[in-house]
Amino acid sequence: MTSHPDNGIVNLAASHSVDEIVARVETLLREKGIKLFATIDHSGEAKSVGIEMPPTKLLIFGNPKAGTPLMLAAPSMAIDLPLKLLIWEDSGGQTWISYNDPLYLQRRHSIPDNLLANIAVIGALAANAAK
């Protein structure tokens, strides 16, 4: 795992393909009752205009019960919600899961400590999907 405190992005190496990780995340979200709002296939869209790109997909998901209190405490948090997982393959064929570090988001939006758990679950979700 690599973390970039300057930009708040955590990169977690995964041991499956992009599509396998996407399927794993979708299953985990369903099991936890978390809504998947959208899946954006960046590489598929690139291909549709004749540009080759390694597999890259963005999953946007959340739970209003967890997100709404964050936005009430810090309205600017709405720019970073719903939560997102970027699942991508680098030029060497390694699959990665990237997400915004919850501690970075907490600092960025001055989220109270008691609400950090509402977004901290993303780390466990990514780790479970990466296995």
Side-chain angles (χ1 to χ4, degrees), residues 27-58:
T27 297
L28 290 166
L29 292 175
R30 263 192 315 279
E31 288 172 355
K32 296 184 180 306
I34 299 171
K35 182 172 181 155
L36 177 62
F37 294 110
T39 300
I40 300 170
D41 182 355
H42 288 297
S43 50
E45 292 300 321
K47 188 174 185 172
S48 75
V49 295
I51 302 171
E52 288 299 317
M53 177 181 188
T56 305
K57 294 186 179 182
L58 180 71

Side-chain angles (χ1 to χ4, degrees), residues 11 18 55-57 86-90 94-98:
N11 296 305
V18 168
T56 305
K57 294 186 179 182
L86 178 64
I87 304 158
W88 57 284
E89 183 180 295
D90 68 20
Q94 173 64 55
T95 303
W96 295 89
I97 302 174
S98 300

Side-chain angles (χ1 to χ4, degrees), residues 85-114:
L85 284 177
L86 178 64
I87 304 158
W88 57 284
E89 183 180 295
D90 68 20
S91 59
Q94 173 64 55
T95 303
W96 295 89
I97 302 174
S98 300
Y99 59 93
N100 288 315
D101 184 337
L103 291 172
Y104 176 85
L105 292 176
Q106 181 186 33
R107 287 189 303 275
R108 181 177 186 194
H109 300 285
S110 300
I111 298 296
D113 289 341
N114 66 315

